[in-house]
Amino acid sequence: MTAALSPIDKAKYIAARRAVEFVEDGMRVGLGTGSTAAWMVRCLGELIRDEGMKITGVATSARTAELAREVGVPVKTLDEVRWLDLTIDGADEYDPNLNLIKGGGGALLHEKIVATASDQMVVIADLSKQVDTLGAFPLPVEVIPFGWQTTKALIEEMLSNVDVLGRSASLRLNGAEPYCSDQGNFILDLHLRRIANPAQLSLVLNQIPGVVENGLFLDICDVLVIGNADGTVEVRDINNGTVEHERIDITDTENLFVDSAE
């Protein structure tokens, strides 16, 4: 079964398998959005089915909630559980300080709310997401539809006063129509190439009228789990200052849900 996975999907699966080891019986767990997080949700489903683990999931998007229910992970709203023990999510980029760019899947607002309502955030990724400086991946910014072109112009004007290499913004589309988040908002992707001061940029972005939230996740990630196609995994704990290297043993007979790769 594992032979049917591409190297990148195998790396995502390895990271997800290691990350769910942080989940304990009875926990309230934030469930991220995206292809890597989808592997994690399926791994949690296996733990519930095969080991009888009892957890409550809080999904960061409608599609994650749907997948969780399909694989047997109970889902409640954040308002129902109020606070989470742990959130596991992916990232589009991460730097050496475990600062992130997220939102490629369009769920950045819910993802940031859920992550900050958690005692711990574990991020799962592969080495292709590692950068020295954030900005190669377009930075998503969620904006309200009303006056979005004015908001876009204000953002581009602001970018001339911060230390970035690119200063253009584009409206994310779904076919010929604007992409809409689960909150019904639009997403502007900022093509910055390099962000010298992420904290400053995050602050000024969120002060612009019409901006709901941005995809810079700063000082939120506690643990980064990096999967590799050869079965090895690296676990970086920024709070303890530790880096551990392990190997995840998998067999070709495991149920890897190979038809679920995104």
Side-chain angles (χ1 to χ4, degrees), residues 1-6 9-10 13-14 17 38-40 42-43 46 49 248-261:
M1 294 285 284
T2 57
L5 293 175
S6 68
D9 283 326
K10 186 177 287 188
Y13 172 74
I14 293 297
R17 271 283 304 275
W39 287 112
M40 174 271 300
R42 291 179 172 89
C43 288
E46 287 189 328
R49 184 185 67 246
I248 303 295
D249 294 323
I250 58 177
T251 68
D252 285 346
T253 58
E254 285 193 86
N255 181 9
L256 299 183
F257 304 92
V258 294
D259 61 341
S260 66

Side-chain angles (χ1 to χ4, degrees), residues 13 16-17 19-24 27-32 37-58 64 68 71-74 86-88 257:
Y13 172 74
R17 271 283 304 275
V20 298
E21 294 181 19
F22 287 91
V23 179
E24 299 176 5
M27 275 190 169
R28 297 155 296 180
V29 182
L31 310 176
W39 287 112
M40 174 271 300
V41 173
R42 291 179 172 89
C43 288
L44 287 178
E46 287 189 328
L47 289 177
I48 291 170
R49 184 185 67 246
D50 299 340
E51 300 182 19
M53 181 175 285
K54 297 185 184 301
I55 66 169
T56 300
V58 172
T64 294
V71 300
V73 179
L86 174 70
T87 286
I88 305 177
F257 304 92

Side-chain angles (χ1 to χ4, degrees), residues 3 15 88 100 126 134 142 144 151 155 188 259:
I88 305 177
L100 320 170
D126 59 83
L134 296 178
E142 187 159 339
I144 66 170
T151 303
I155 290 173
L188 299 175
D259 61 341

